[in-house]
Amino acid sequence: MLIKYPLSFKRLATLFTALTLLAGCQIESQPKSELDQIRERGVLRVGTLNNQLSYYIGPDGPAGLDYELAREFANELGVKLEMKPAYRMSSLYPALKNGEIDIIAAGLSQSEERLKNFRAGPVYYYVSQQVVYKKGQWRPRNLEQLLERQPSLIEESSQEKVLTIVDDSHFKNSLSEVQQKHPEFKYSVDINADVNELLKQVSNGDLQFTVADSVEISLSQRIYPDIALAFELTEDQPISWFLNRSDDESLYALLIEFFGGLQQSNQLAALEEKYIGHVNSFDYVDTRAFIRALDSKLPKWAPLFQEYSDEFDWRLVAALAYQESHWNPKAKSPTGVRGMMMLTLPTAKSVGVSDRLDPEQSVWGGVEYLRRMVGRVPDSIAEHEKIWFALASYNVGYGHMMDARRLTKWQGGNPDAWADVKDRLPLLRQKKYYSQTRYGFARGDEARNYVENIRRYYQSIIGHVEQQNRDNEVGGIDDLTVIQVPENDLYSTDDTVSGAEAIEQTEEEKQ
């Protein structure tokens, strides 16, 4: 008996093929994940702020804490990095919402408003909101004192409000909470200003009070030394990057993994030490004198530093020269050091300097000797930190610097990290420590202060130059710099910002 099937084998095969093709089309039509889109595009687009912490253009190209982190993240993704710098935070939010950028990396805190609209990445440091005033004027030590005196301050200044902030939810939310508890409290919002502009107004006496993040204030004090802390408005708040909120967690998941790896490897701590490790120390009198010198002396000597700095950042050469001589080419000391870079006679002879009081010879000789000294620093130390070890060696001696490294290792620290070694240098004054070292007693605290002073001067010069650029330019989200991500690691020598000093070989080094 012949059985008839409803479909022939040929028709069945044709139907199966069609269904397979249809299913394939449906799979292909599914939207790609955010991570896949970035990889397919070949570019990670990062919005940031153009300032001395997050992102700026240095003599060797782009620099900044958020830039270096973004560069490494793009490197991990295997794509190019595209930085979109803005001068104001308000420019970044619409760019993220509209898909013009993938991430905001600008040192922003996790305010309630930001968390409502965007997804926060892992925390990488903390700041507090602080009320600042001009040194020498009346200082409110807490919110209650400010509220109590607010009416008389308004009357004296002929202004409706004595405290002005930038147009940012980070600060507006904090002050709104104050206003809910104290309806009489008044403040204004300047929609056209950035934090740096308001801090400058406070420093000039044009504004009585403003609110800024603690790290930004510490950095700005190197440019505006009259800015001072009145009181803390908030507790420490977490800082993170921000992404768009969506059901797609591909980019977010990789970001968590990325920051976790940086923390475990101590790369994150090293970067934070590089950019903000020096901010807690501030000398008002010294900084005021230095700021005056930036205007009165630096313009004359900057071309000299630029000409002879060679591979080193001229601004760090300038910072070193200020630490040595306060930019006085005829400087002399009772111990026999002379000139702009305060070279000893043996050091001068070793680098071919015949006249230590000739500023050109002094700067050239100092940079040349620095090059030799940096070359002696162990290669296990990251390129961007070698300069600090070299400067410490000049001040306290190479042997004592190595003693501090050995002491650091003995105490469980990292002998290749300046953040760890600088904390052990002062221990070389204490007998229970120096008696166990090869070279014995040393004024290690002076060496640490010496290096940290140079770092502060250096940061001030960077901020001063950036401020001049900011005064002459108008920036926005359309300013675009496309950077080819290097294939090497985070501490690529191609991206190193370094500096110089005239370093003398001591008797300890010769042993």
Side-chain angles (χ1 to χ4, degrees), residues 67 71-72 74-76 79-81 483-490 492 494-495:
Y67 161 70
R71 182 192 67 189
E72 183 66 5
N75 192 37
E76 186 157 311
V79 299
K80 294 180 181 179
L81 173 63
I483 304 114
Q484 174 68 49
V485 178
E487 295 181 358
N488 47 8
D489 61 17
L490 183 63
S492 164
D494 293 336
D495 296 292

Side-chain angles (χ1 to χ4, degrees), residues 59-60 309-318 458 462 497-500:
D60 300 316
S309 59
D310 294 332
E311 73 268 31
F312 302 112
D313 186 346
W314 74 268
R315 297 170 300 185
L316 192 46
V317 175
Y458 177 42
I462 290 176
V497 178
S498 189

Side-chain angles (χ1 to χ4, degrees), residues 407-421:
L407 182 58
T408 301
K409 185 176 181 180
W410 177 64
Q411 292 188 339
N414 182 0
D416 294 332
W418 174 246
D420 289 356
V421 175

Side-chain angles (χ1 to χ4, degrees), residues 175-195:
L175 294 186
S176 294
E177 291 178 7
V178 172
Q179 204 167 51
Q180 289 176 6
K181 297 178 182 177
H182 307 277
E184 72 278 13
F185 175 62
K186 297 180 179 180
Y187 69 94
S188 61
V189 178
D190 190 333
I191 62 174
N192 296 314
D194 64 7
V195 174

Side-chain angles (χ1 to χ4, degrees), residues 37-101:
Q37 291 178 45
I38 293 172
R39 284 176 168 150
E40 187 174 277
R41 186 195 311 136
V43 175
L44 175 69
R45 304 163 305 174
V46 177
T48 189
L49 288 177
N50 194 179
N51 57 36
Q52 58 183 319
L53 177 59
S54 290
Y55 171 84
Y56 61 91
I57 300 297
D60 300 316
L65 175 59
D66 288 300
Y67 161 70
E68 291 209 37
L69 288 170
R71 182 192 67 189
E72 183 66 5
F73 186 51
N75 192 37
E76 186 157 311
L77 288 173
V79 299
K80 294 180 181 179
L81 173 63
E82 187 175 286
M83 299 298 289
K84 288 199 171 187
Y87 284 119
R88 294 179 176 86
M89 295 182 218
S90 57
S91 302
L92 298 174
Y93 305 132
L96 184 58
K97 282 186 176 180
N98 297 335
E100 297 174 45
I101 56 178

Side-chain angles (χ1 to χ4, degrees), residues 289-335:
F290 180 62
I291 296 302
R292 287 194 296 268
L294 285 175
D295 294 323
S296 63
K297 294 183 178 182
L298 184 59
K300 177 180 179 179
W301 299 116
L304 186 65
F305 299 133
Q306 291 168 348
E307 181 177 357
Y308 292 106
S309 59
D310 294 332
E311 73 268 31
F312 302 112
D313 186 346
W314 74 268
R315 297 170 300 185
L316 192 46
V317 175
L320 167 64
Y322 186 84
Q323 170 67 21
E324 292 292 353
S325 67
H326 284 204
W327 296 328
N328 176 9
K330 305 300 181 183
K332 300 180 180 181
S333 85
T335 59

Side-chain angles (χ1 to χ4, degrees), residues 149-161:
R149 194 161 173 176
Q150 180 181 250
S152 60
L153 290 172
I154 293 175
E155 184 177 350
E156 292 168 8
S157 65
S158 301
Q159 298 176 352
E160 292 185 7
K161 302 170 184 68

